Amino acid sequence: MKLTILGGGGFRVPLVYEAMATGATGLQVDEISLQDVDAARLRTITEVIDGVRAQLVADGRAVHPPAVTATTDLREAVTGADFVFSAVRVGGAEARTVDERVALGLGLLGQETIGPGGLAYALRTIPVALEIAGTVAEVAPEAWVINFTNPAGIVTEAMRSILGDRVVGICDTPIGLVRRVGRLLGVDLVAGERGSEVDYVGLNHLGWLRSVTVDGVDRLPGLLADDDALEEIEEARLIGKDWVRADGALPNEYLYYYLHTASAIDRITGSATTRGEFLAKQQGDFYLAAADATGPAAQTDAAPPSAGSTPNHETDSAGGSCCSSPVDLWRSTLHEREATYMAESRDEERREEDVAGGGYQEVALRLMTALATGHRERMILDVGNISADQQDAPASERIVPELPADAVLEVLCEVDGNGVHPLPIAPIELGRLGMMSTLRAAERKILEAATTGSREAAWQGFSTHPLVSSPELGAKLLEGYIAGHPQIAELFSTR
């Protein structure tokens, strides 16, 4: 079995390798093909994976370590793939800082996926995502594409126009919320222990856990009434216990940016750096230090090696490494990255149990295993409002009848060898439906702009986002992102 990871020089890729090599779900992957436009980063990540493999073997945890290849060629990487992880960041971490600063300069929220920064991210990413989808359709038409690329909802929606139901978006934040609630109740809600059911609905980074049924009883009202229980739920601490109690639901943590926008802006602008600036420096320092640790060969633009080849470590006279190994540097940097996640929303350090969640790689591995083996799994995924071959069916057959048939929603699904099957949900309350429809309408204008080169559509998208709501600010945002992003400037200059 071949897995291709697009964005293979990305910082989180070794986590995926580790999950595959330890065989946590019993699925055996024979080859992982890493593809990235940055050959130097590919080289560094293959060195890290070498270190991860060596540690797993030494610890007796390596069950079936896959062979790893690396390339900068998209078609080569995708050809023959059974699964494709799309985890690209167009423009790198540096582009994220532009997304943030343009918005903050206008007094608006500057964040990776929420607000105008998320729209700018989508605008420069969708053309690349469509190219990826077209390549997969041509050279690996039976492959399943698992989309990690943010903003995951609208990017997955764009890719579905080519790949249909064979592309699924994933995010670890909803399942993290469900697991925290399950720990409190002593029930594995993901596995459906004791006949448990959960009702989670929304868009990516805009969703709510509305009921948790165990042994036929909805346990959520009791949790919401219990301050001690809410103290153990990260989302309730972020957004406010009184608010979640009044709302009657537990929100995705990203609702913080919608419900506490002014506070978020103040905290971000009061920090020395934005999150994007922090990550750009942190990861830049990591890649430089890791290159130093592996020797001069790692700093060239030569084609990256396959993992498993002998690293070129400099040694001292005692035969030991002259400096920290790439894998040790990576693990240290990873923990700092996860511990500071959404730091602007917290008055305390992130709790260790919240840092240690399963993450994208675990959700993706479970999804792969279910599709490949038929072993049933339940997970919250980004899927079409109705299957791609039923777009003309009555609206009543959609997950959310009030939303378009081709809209991508985030809901609990059952996955098996026949595909991904969304589970029924209760009708959506008017306020939640309004938030979802307003956001997706703005994102769809950005999708239109990305596929047609329409400046007018992009202006409408920025202007009508619920955290902007201003044609004047929308115009300034568009001009700022055109000036700051070569990809966006090119989009409008060539159409």
Side-chain angles (χ1 to χ4, degrees):
M1 179 176 293
K2 177 181 177 180
L3 165 65
T4 295
I5 303 178
L6 308 178
F11 188 77
R12 286 185 168 183
V13 167
L15 290 171
V16 178
Y17 177 84
E18 189 170 39
M20 300 297 172
T22 55
T25 64
L27 183 68
Q28 289 194 354
V29 175
D30 302 303
E31 177 190 354
I32 296 179
S33 176
L34 307 180
Q35 185 274 338
D36 202 289
V37 297
D38 190 325
R41 290 199 170 197
L42 270 179
R43 181 180 292 277
T44 296
I45 292 302
T46 56
E47 293 281 359
V48 172
I49 288 173
D50 272 331
V52 169
R53 179 195 291 108
Q55 289 179 348
L56 293 176
V57 170
D59 295 342
R61 297 176 56 216
V63 176
H64 186 77
V68 177
T69 59
T71 179
T72 57
D73 186 86
L74 173 63
R75 180 176 292 267
E76 176 187 343
V78 169
T79 299
D82 299 286
F83 290 90
V84 177
F85 287 1
S86 181
V88 301
R89 182 178 288 278
V90 178
E94 293 73 18
R96 175 175 174 172
T97 68
V98 176
D99 294 343
E100 295 166 338
R101 285 297 178 188
V102 169
L104 289 169
L106 295 170
L108 299 168
L109 179 71
Q111 207 276 335
E112 178 191 22
T113 64
I114 306 299
L119 297 185
Y121 192 4
L123 189 56
R124 67 178 187 274
T125 299
I126 287 171
V128 176
L130 291 174
E131 178 188 0
I132 289 168
T135 302
V136 173
E138 182 181 350
V139 303
E142 299 302 313
W144 282 93
V145 176
I146 301 175
N147 179 48
F148 295 69
T149 301
N150 278 321
I154 196 63
V155 170
T156 302
E157 194 166 307
M159 297 179 81
R160 278 179 61 87
S161 67
I162 296 173
L163 297 171
D165 295 332
R166 297 193 76 84
V167 58
V168 181
I170 69 168
C171 181
D172 57 349
T173 56
I175 211 69
L177 169 59
V178 171
R179 283 194 172 131
R180 281 185 270 279
V181 173
R183 282 201 303 265
L184 282 172
L185 297 176
V187 178
D188 188 341
L189 298 174
V190 177
E193 279 185 358
R194 293 166 52 188
S196 58
E197 298 289 344
V198 300
D199 183 319
Y200 181 96
V201 66
L203 305 178
N204 181 241
H205 292 179
L206 182 74
W208 301 265
L209 180 61
R210 300 184 299 161
S211 69
V212 179
T213 303
V214 181
D215 296 329
V217 177
D218 186 0
R219 301 288 300 276
L220 187 57
L223 291 178
L224 294 175
D226 185 342
D227 270 1
D228 290 338
L230 291 180
E231 181 64 24
E232 299 303 313
I233 299 174
E234 187 174 28
E235 292 78 2
R237 297 196 307 271
L238 290 179
I239 290 165
K241 299 172 189 175
D242 289 341
W243 177 262
V244 300
R245 188 176 293 122
D247 194 38
L250 286 170
N252 184 295
E253 61 195 351
Y254 281 88
L255 264 292
Y256 168 82
Y257 296 109
Y258 292 95
L259 297 171
H260 301 285
T261 311
S263 176
I265 294 171
D266 287 345
R267 285 169 177 255
I268 293 169
T269 55
S271 299
T273 61
T274 66
R275 177 66 172 172
E277 290 164 346
F278 167 79
L279 290 177
K281 183 179 188 308
Q282 186 211 43
Q283 292 186 35
D285 289 348
F286 158 74
Y287 283 106
L288 287 173
D292 287 342
T294 56
Q299 301 177 50
T300 71
D301 290 329
S306 296
S309 59
T310 303
N312 180 22
H313 295 288
E314 293 183 10
T315 58
D316 60 24
S317 58
S321 176
C322 69
C323 44
S324 297
S325 70
V327 69
D328 290 338
L329 287 166
W330 172 76
R331 291 196 187 279
S332 173
T333 306
L334 176 67
H335 189 273
E336 181 187 24
R337 172 188 169 125
E338 299 303 318
T340 56
Y341 171 70
M342 286 185 67
E344 68 273 8
S345 66
R346 297 180 176 84
D347 294 316
E348 60 180 9
E349 290 189 5
R350 200 173 183 207
R351 299 182 184 182
E352 195 62 35
E353 64 268 23
D354 296 324
V355 175
Y360 286 92
Q361 70 281 357
E362 191 246 354
V363 179
L365 180 56
R366 289 174 46 228
L367 175 56
M368 278 181 63
T369 302
L371 291 168
T373 69
H375 175 75
R376 290 189 177 186
E377 287 276 6
R378 298 199 317 174
M379 57 191 70
I380 296 170
L381 300 169
D382 289 272
V383 296
N385 199 8
I386 196 169
S387 63
D389 61 358
Q390 294 182 303
Q391 294 292 295
D392 295 329
S396 59
E397 297 183 18
R398 301 172 191 168
I399 303 169
V400 179
E402 298 87 352
L403 295 178
D406 58 348
V408 165
L409 311 177
E410 198 163 79
V411 294
L412 184 67
C413 302
E414 187 173 89
V415 187
D416 58 26
N418 294 318
V420 179
H421 317 286
L423 298 176
I425 61 168
I428 299 185
E429 304 88 339
L430 183 61
R432 302 191 212 286
L433 182 63
M435 291 183 72
M436 291 169 63
S437 59
T438 302
L439 174 60
R440 185 47 49 89
E443 290 179 327
R444 283 192 161 206
K445 279 296 179 181
I446 295 298
L447 173 57
E448 178 186 341
T451 53
T452 66
S454 169
R455 291 175 65 109
E456 186 174 80
W459 174 42
Q460 290 179 296
F462 284 114
S463 300
T464 58
H465 190 284
L467 296 183
V468 179
S469 299
S470 164
E472 292 80 10
L473 288 173
K476 292 177 180 179
L477 286 165
L478 178 57
E479 292 309 313
Y481 288 129
I482 289 173
H485 288 305
Q487 302 91 347
I488 293 178
E490 182 181 1
L491 176 69
F492 295 120
S493 68
T494 58
R495 302 292 179 94

